[in-house]
Amino acid sequence: CLQRAGSLTEARDAFARALVETRGAGRDAAWVANVDLMLGNLDSAQAHAQLAVANGAAPSGHAILAQVANTRRDWALAALKD
């Protein structure tokens, strides 16, 4: 797995391709969000986490949104329910 090998940019690109192929599936959006978070791309991580929540991967999406909010110290984002 590219993610475990430390090739986060390559892993993110692979997950992004899967996201396009699955037309925005929540699970794939959550993977992109997670790698974006690891890369420090907080805007993209937030956007993909919100897509994950909207498309069936709410637990993963909410967890990533919480991490983004914590990193930014954005307590308004942290308080969002959906």
Side-chain angles (χ1 to χ4, degrees), residues 17-76:
R17 283 191 300 277
L19 181 61
V20 170
E21 291 171 11
T22 60
R23 295 182 180 93
R27 172 189 51 121
D28 295 320
W31 279 107
V32 173
N34 189 50
V35 176
D36 278 336
L37 183 63
M38 288 188 274
L39 290 169
N41 301 332
L42 298 181
D43 289 338
S44 185
Q46 181 177 343
H48 284 95
Q50 289 168 330
L51 182 62
V53 169
N55 289 301
S60 297
H62 283 297
I64 295 165
L65 284 171
Q67 290 177 307
V68 168
N70 188 51
T71 300
R72 288 183 171 156
R73 300 205 155 320
D74 181 345
W75 312 131

